[in-house]
Amino acid sequence: MEAPAAAHNPAEAAAEGVNVQITVNSPEQMRELGLHLAKLLRAGDLVMLNGELGAGKTTLTRGLGEGLGVRGAVTSPTFVIARVHPSLGDGPPLVHVDAYRLGGGLDEMEDLDLDVSLSDSVIVVEWGEGKVEELTDDRLDVVIHRAVGDTTDEVRHVTLTGLGERWATTDLSVLAA
């Protein structure tokens, strides 16, 4: 994994977001990125994952689940919308949501009670853009870009943007090490 590290002012970062870009060369590296990212997460964190179909959102979440030490195999919750993976230790549970089939904003997500789960869980929402931003001012946006079309290219370009005070002092560049 490779990334340029950028210095930032914490006050500006809270307003504008802390940004790091990482190149991932295989599904195993995407899972490893999730393992490393899990070390930075804590209860109350919202992580939004966006990217094309097959970009690696669920693979990244699988690594997060492994790093957080949660119960159950992390698989795509496309048809069940959300899965809760309880912690096997002292860490927070992982709530894994796939909002792909949900058309509306937060109103349509209300039945999932994400606002209730947020304070004591790590919530990861695939396809969450335009749907869950109102849950909190602090979130980590993860955008995964991959080559589209007929390609066997495994390279992914991952942009992580930490928004709000929670992420203003978190050094995301450690994920590229």
Side-chain angles (χ1 to χ4, degrees):
M1 294 182 281
E2 314 155 9
H8 65 273
N9 174 328
E12 289 177 9
E16 298 174 15
V18 178
N19 187 299
V20 67
Q21 295 183 354
I22 300 171
T23 299
V24 175
N25 295 303
S26 68
E28 178 57 28
Q29 280 190 356
M30 185 67 76
R31 187 189 67 75
E32 288 175 15
L33 176 59
L35 278 168
H36 296 299
L37 177 56
K39 294 175 185 173
L40 300 178
L41 296 176
R42 61 186 185 212
D45 284 341
L46 172 65
V47 180
M48 284 184 13
L49 302 179
N50 289 289
E52 297 89 1
L53 285 169
K57 295 177 296 296
T58 300
T59 301
L60 178 70
T61 307
R62 205 169 281 129
L64 288 173
E66 188 177 333
L68 290 170
V70 299
R71 185 180 68 209
V74 175
T75 59
S76 179
T78 299
F79 296 103
V80 296
I81 309 298
R83 281 195 175 92
V84 177
H85 298 274
S87 175
L88 292 171
D90 294 335
L94 171 67
V95 178
H96 184 198
V97 179
D98 186 331
Y100 183 75
R101 297 188 184 285
L102 303 176
L106 192 56
D107 290 343
E108 192 169 331
M109 303 281 292
E110 241 178 45
D111 288 341
L112 299 176
D113 286 332
L114 295 180
D115 54 338
V116 172
S117 301
L118 184 58
S119 64
D120 62 354
S121 304
V122 170
I123 296 181
V124 176
V125 182
E126 296 186 27
W127 305 97
E129 189 173 23
K131 298 172 184 166
V132 296
E133 290 92 337
E134 295 173 28
L135 281 174
T136 179
D137 291 333
D138 301 307
R139 68 178 181 279
L140 182 64
D141 288 343
V142 180
V143 179
I144 305 170
H145 295 283
R146 71 172 183 91
V148 291
D150 187 18
T151 180
T152 58
D153 189 0
E154 296 289 346
V155 175
R156 305 295 194 259
H157 300 284
V158 182
T159 302
L160 297 102
T161 305
L163 300 166
E165 289 181 33
R166 156 70 176 101
W167 295 100
T169 57
T170 302
D171 184 9
L172 293 173
S173 68
V174 299
L175 297 172

